[in-house]
Amino acid sequence: MQPLPLLLAFSACVFAESLSNIRLSGPSTLPPDASKYLNPALASFSIETAFWTSYVGNVSNPNLLTQNLLENLKNRTGVPAEIRVGGITADSTHWNSTLEVALFNFITDDGTLHNTTVGPEFWKTMNLLPEGTNIIFNLDLENLDFEGTLDMATAAVENMKAGQLIGMEIGNEPDHYLHFTPESYTNLWMPWTKNISDALNISAPFFQIAATAEDPLWPYGTAAANAQLDCVSALAAGANNDSTVKTCSEHTYQYSVCDPVRLQQATLVDLVNHTRLAQYLDLWQPRIRSVREQLGSDSFVIGEYNSVSCSGRDGVSNTFGQGLWLLDTTLYAASINVSRLFVHQGGPLALQSSTQLNHGGLSLYDLWYPIENLNGPVKVFPSYSAYLFVAEVIGSSRSLRIGNIYPGRQANGSSITTEMGDESQGQLVVYGFWDDSLSVDFPVKLALLNLQSYNETTEGTRPSTTFDISEYLSESADSVAVRRLQAPGADVKDGNITTWAGQTYANGVAEGVLTEEKIAGGEIAVAASEAVLVFL
Ligand SMILES: *[C@@H]1O[C@H](CO)[C@@H](O)[C@H](O)[C@H]1NC(C)=O
Ligand SMILES: *[C@@H]1O[C@H](CO)[C@@H](O)[C@H](O)[C@H]1NC(C)=O
Ligand SMILES: *[C@@H]1O[C@H](CO)[C@@H](O)[C@H](O)[C@H]1NC(C)=O
Ligand SMILES: *[C@@H]1O[C@H](CO)[C@@H](O)[C@H](O)[C@H]1NC(C)=O
Ligand SMILES: *[C@@H]1O[C@H](CO)[C@@H](O)[C@H](O)[C@H]1NC(C)=O
Ligand SMILES: *[C@@H]1O[C@H](CO)[C@@H](O)[C@H](O)[C@H]1NC(C)=O
Ligand SMILES: *[C@@H]1O[C@H](CO)[C@@H](O)[C@H](O)[C@H]1NC(C)=O
Ligand SMILES: *[C@@H]1O[C@H](CO)[C@@H](O)[C@H](O)[C@H]1NC(C)=O
Ligand SMILES: *[C@@H]1O[C@H](CO)[C@@H](O)[C@H](O)[C@H]1NC(C)=O
Ligand SMILES: *[C@@H]1O[C@H](CO)[C@@H](O)[C@H](O)[C@H]1NC(C)=O
Ligand SMILES: *[C@@H]1O[C@H](CO)[C@@H](O)[C@H](O)[C@H]1NC(C)=O
Ligand SMILES: *[C@@H]1O[C@H](CO)[C@@H](O)[C@H](O)[C@H]1NC(C)=O
C-alpha cells in the first residue's frame, strides 16, 4: 500500500500549534482502521519458570504482594491477567513426581543455574493466583527429549484444575538454538504437538507456536526475512497441518544490555519515545496480519516482552519512564491488533550472554520484587501502575476498540513518525476507545500521554501540554472525569511516590485518597512525563 500524501494524513487527525497546546481535530466517530475488540487480559504476565516460586510463593508461604497486585488488575476488568510460565529456563526444567519442594533450582557455587525441577507442590501454587487465572505453560524443546516433555505436559494437564491451562508452548526462543530453520523446527514441533495431543486426549488446537526472540528483518518478504524462524514461516512450512496450533507468540525487547554495543543505546530518553516504540512494533505488522488471517482474530500474542533484554538497566527500566513506555507499548500494540502482551518477570541468568551487564538477584525491569534479593528489598516499581491504567481503560467492556488519534496513522497502518509530520517528536500520544455496544459516534475514553522528559532531579518549572479534546465530546457532555498516572519525574524509581488516580500501590493495595477530577470545557493539561485517562 502507498502511504497517504503527508498533508492529508496529518491534517486528518490533528492541528498542532506547539508542544504547549494541541487541538485534536476529530472526527469523533469510530476510525475505519480501529482495532479488533480488546482482550480483557491485554496486560498479562510472563514469569520465568525458575523464578516462579520467588514470585508466587508456595501453598504454605504464598506471596501476598504478588497476590494483591494481580487481584488489583482483576478487580478492574473482572478477568485476571493471564500468566505464561516460561522463559529460557523452561528448556531446562524437569518434572519429578517425588520432589518434596515445589521447585528446585540446581545452582553451582559460581552462581550458574544449570536446571530446574518441579514436583507436585508446584502445580498447587497455581491455586494461589486470582480465581480464574489462565495459564500458558512452556515445555522443553532444546533437549530433544520427547518423553521428558510428554511427562511434563501430562503432569501439567493432570494437576491443574479444569480449564486453567489454556495452552502450551514447546521451546522458548527456539530461533536461538539447534540452528533451526522454519522447516527443521516444524518437522519436530508439529509431530510433538500431535503426539502430546493424542496421548493426553486433547482434541482442540492447544499449542502456542514459535515463542521466537529475533526481531523481524525489514523489509518484509525478502529471502532473508522469509528464512527467519517465526510464526508465519513455521505455519508456511506446515506447522498447523495437524490442526494443533491455537495461537502464535513472538517476543519483543526493544533494547538490550546483553552486549556493550547495545548497552550504549539503552537510554531513558530513547525508551520513552512513541516514534521509536511504534517503529519497533510496526516491524511485526505484516506477521500480525498473516497470523490473524490464518488462526483467527485473537491469535497473535507478544508472549514475552520487556524494555531492555538481559534483565534491564538501572535508571532506565526500573523508572517511571518505563511505566510510560509500558503504557504506550501496550496500547500501541493493541492498536495494531496484538491480542495480549505478557510482560516478563524474572532474574538475570549467569549464562545468558558472556558480555551481559547484570548478574544475580531479580531483573531491573520487573514490575515488582516479591522477595528481598541481591538487587534490593521487596518493592513495587513505578511501572506496575501502567498496568492499572490499561486495566481501567478496558474495565468491564468486551466490545472496546482502540484507535490512534495522535500522531495518527499512515495509509499502511503504521504510526506517523517524527520524520513524517509528528510535530511532537514522539512525545504526545492520544488513543481513543470506542465501545461498539454503546456508540460509534463518540469514544467512551481517551488516553492522553505526554512523554516529554521531566526528571525529579530537574530544576525549574515542569512543562505541560494542554490537549483540546472538544471535537470528541458530544454536545450533552458538560464535563469529563480525569484520572492521572503521575510521579515526580520520569527518573523516579519508587512505587511509593508513583500515583494512579491519586493512590500508591507500594504495599500491594491502594493507599491514599482516590482522585478523579471533573473538567469542563474540553481542555486537559497533562504535565511532561505524565499520562491521563479521560472518561467521556
Ligand atoms: C485490526 O483489526 C481490525 C478488525 O479485524 C481491522 O479492521 C484493522 O484494519 C486491523 N488493523 C491493522 C493495523 O491491521
Ligand atoms: C472490585 O473491588 C471492589 C471493592 O472491593 C468491589 O466492590 C468490586 O465488585 C470489585 N470489582 C470486580 C470486577 O471484581
Ligand atoms: C526426584 O526427587 C527426589 C527427591 O528430591 C530425588 O531423590 C530423586 O533423585 C529425583 N529424581 C530425579 C530423576 O532427579
Ligand atoms: C515453601 O516456601 C518456604 C519458604 O521459601 C520453604 O521453606 C518451603 O520449603 C517451601 N515449601 C515447598 C513445598 O516448596
Ligand atoms: C541438573 O544439572 C546437574 C549439573 O549438571 C546434573 O548433575 C543433574 O543431573 C541435572 N538434573 C536434571 C534433572 O537434569
Ligand atoms: C509420534 O507419533 C508417531 C506416530 O505414532 C510416531 O511415528 C513418532 O515416532 C512419534 N514421535 C515422537 C517424537 O515420539
Ligand atoms: C477424550 O475426550 C473426549 C471429549 O473430547 C471424550 O469424549 C473421551 O471420553 C475422552 N477419552 C478418554 C480416553 O479420556
Ligand atoms: C503440510 O501439508 C502440505 C500440503 O499437504 C505439504 O506440502 C507439506 O509438506 C506438509 N508439511 C508438513 C511439515 O507436514
Ligand atoms: C509504512 O510506510 C512507511 C513509509 O513508507 C514505512 O517506513 C513503514 O515501514 C511502513 N510500515 C509497514 C508496516 O509496512
Ligand atoms: C524520538 O525518536 C525519533 C526517532 O528516533 C527522533 O526523531 C525524535 O527526535 C525523538 N524525540 C525526542 C524528543 O528525542
Ligand atoms: C532526565 O534524565 C535522563 C537520564 O536519566 C536524561 O537523559 C534526560 O536528559 C533528563 N531529562 C531532562 C529533561 O533533563
Ligand atoms: C519510598 O521508598 C524509598 C525506599 O525505596 C524511601 O527511601 C522513601 O523514603 C519512601 N518515600 C515515601 C514517601 O514513603
Side-chain angles (χ1 to χ4, degrees):
M1 265 191 287
Q2 292 297 310
L4 285 178
L6 193 54
L7 269 174
L8 177 58
F10 191 61
S11 64
C13 53
V14 76
F15 171 68
E17 280 164 345
S18 74
L19 262 184
S20 63
N21 209 301
I22 181 168
R23 196 174 79 82
L24 306 173
S25 67
S28 63
T29 46
L30 178 73
D33 59 357
S35 74
K36 67 177 195 64
Y37 289 170
L38 299 187
N39 189 304
L42 172 65
S44 283
F45 294 92
S46 165
I47 298 181
E48 183 71 42
T49 312
F51 293 89
W52 180 255
T53 45
S54 303
Y55 265 84
V56 176
N58 61 40
V59 172
S60 51
N61 277 286
N63 191 285
L64 298 179
L65 179 65
T66 294
Q67 287 184 327
N68 283 327
L69 293 171
L70 294 174
E71 286 289 353
N72 295 335
L73 297 169
K74 178 184 173 183
N75 182 269
R76 286 167 168 77
T77 58
V79 171
E82 291 183 2
I83 300 190
R84 176 242 192 186
V85 186
I88 289 186
T89 58
D91 278 304
S92 52
T93 296
H94 310 276
W95 164 242
N96 179 341
S97 63
T98 63
L99 188 73
E100 279 165 23
V101 292
L103 181 148
F104 173 74
N105 284 325
F106 191 103
I107 300 172
T108 39
D109 290 343
D110 62 355
T112 306
L113 169 60
H114 292 263
N115 54 51
T116 302
T117 316
V118 297
E121 292 292 322
F122 173 76
W123 307 111
K124 296 184 190 162
T125 64
M126 304 299 160
N127 298 324
L128 302 174
L129 302 167
E131 182 71 33
T133 300
N134 287 337
I135 300 285
I136 293 167
F137 194 75
N138 186 183
L139 303 164
D140 165 29
L141 176 64
E142 189 176 9
N143 290 297
L144 301 179
D145 170 18
F146 176 77
E147 290 306 323
T149 295
L150 177 60
D151 284 349
M152 181 72 92
T154 307
V157 168
E158 287 179 349
N159 289 292
M160 281 194 233
K161 43 179 191 238
Q164 180 165 38
L165 184 67
I166 61 156
M168 291 190 280
E169 297 179 330
I170 307 181
N172 173 74
E173 305 188 345
D175 52 340
H176 278 184
Y177 53 64
L178 300 174
H179 305 289
F180 276 131
T181 62
E183 291 71 27
S184 65
Y185 168 82
T186 296
N187 288 338
L188 273 173
W189 192 90
M190 190 188 69
W192 281 35
T193 60
K194 173 71 173 143
N195 291 11
I196 293 170
S197 299
D198 289 349
L200 300 179
N201 195 26
I202 296 170
S203 51
F206 202 63
F207 290 87
Q208 183 155 284
I209 197 169
T212 41
E214 289 296 311
D215 298 342
L217 293 174
W218 200 261
Y220 186 69
T222 61
N226 291 343
Q228 287 188 287
L229 172 57
D230 59 76
C231 293
V232 175
S233 66
L235 289 170
N240 200 24
N241 277 15
D242 282 330
S243 303
T244 53
V245 185
K246 182 180 188 182
T247 46
C248 133
S249 162
E250 299 192 11
H251 299 175
T252 64
Y253 286 90
Q254 200 182 338
Y255 299 93
S256 177
V257 292
C258 296
D259 53 73
V261 175
R262 285 185 291 170
L263 170 67
Q264 298 308 315
Q265 291 151 18
T267 65
L268 184 58
V269 284
D270 277 357
L271 181 71
V272 193
N273 179 319
H274 175 77
T275 308
R276 297 178 67 95
L277 71 83
Q279 280 179 330
Y280 180 66
L281 292 172
D282 282 341
L283 298 176
W284 274 269
Q285 283 210 37
R287 291 186 184 172
I288 297 168
R289 277 200 208 97
S290 169
V291 166
R292 292 180 69 233
E293 278 163 17
Q294 297 181 69
L295 300 176
S297 173
D298 223 20
S299 60
F300 190 98
V301 310
I302 294 180
E304 182 187 317
Y305 79 112
N306 214 309
S307 53
V308 181
S309 72
C310 280
S311 280
R313 185 176 193 186
D314 185 28
V316 179
S317 61
N318 53 359
T319 65
F320 182 67
Q322 156 113 344
L324 295 169
W325 167 86
L326 186 64
L327 177 64
D328 197 13
T329 290
T330 307
L331 296 180
Y332 189 72
S335 83
I336 59 173
N337 292 326
V338 173
S339 167
R340 286 150 287 158
L341 294 92
F342 297 75
V343 69
H344 197 56
Q345 311 292 295
L349 297 162
L351 295 181
Q352 210 166 350
S353 147
S354 56
T355 53
Q356 69 197 34
L357 182 69
N358 300 311
H359 298 277
L362 293 175
S363 299
L364 292 154
Y365 54 47
D366 292 339
L367 273 53
W368 67 91
Y369 285 163
I371 54 171
E372 186 173 352
N373 67 92
L374 275 177
N375 293 324
V378 172
K379 179 167 175 171
V380 176
F381 288 92
S383 51
Y384 168 74
S385 292
Y387 261 29
L388 294 174
F389 188 124
V390 175
E392 252 170 78
V393 163
I394 296 173
S396 58
S397 175
R398 297 296 174 264
S399 47
L400 202 66
R401 305 174 68 178
I402 183 172
N404 309 73
I405 291 178
Y406 189 86
R409 280 179 182 283
Q410 302 171 49
N412 66 9
S414 289
S415 185
I416 289 169
T417 64
T418 296
E419 295 74 25
M420 299 188 81
D422 170 11
E423 291 180 14
S424 82
Q425 306 260 335
Q427 299 189 358
L428 303 182
V429 195
V430 181
Y431 298 98
F433 303 89
W434 285 259
D435 193 330
D436 249 5
S437 69
L438 299 175
S439 161
V440 293
D441 294 334
F442 294 96
V444 290
K445 291 172 188 151
L446 295 175
L448 314 176
L449 282 64
N450 184 348
L451 306 182
Q452 184 182 351
S453 174
Y454 181 79
N455 295 326
E456 186 181 27
T457 49
T458 305
E459 301 279 323
T461 319
R462 189 168 185 164
S464 164
T465 295
T466 298
F467 293 76
D468 182 341
I469 61 165
S470 36
E471 289 299 322
Y472 289 86
L473 302 177
S474 70
E475 277 168 22
S476 58
D478 44 8
S479 72
V480 294
V482 170
R483 294 186 174 197
R484 295 180 190 270
L485 178 62
Q486 292 177 308
D491 53 346
V492 157
K493 297 184 198 172
D494 292 317
N496 61 9
I497 46 173
T498 300
T499 55
W500 165 242
Q503 298 177 304
T504 58
Y505 290 82
N507 298 310
V509 293
E511 287 173 65
V513 180
L514 181 80
T515 310
E516 187 176 90
E517 296 156 51
K518 296 279 180 229
I519 298 181
E523 293 200 343
I524 318 264
V526 183
S529 298
E530 178 179 299
V532 312
L533 180 57
V534 184
F535 300 76
L536 303 178

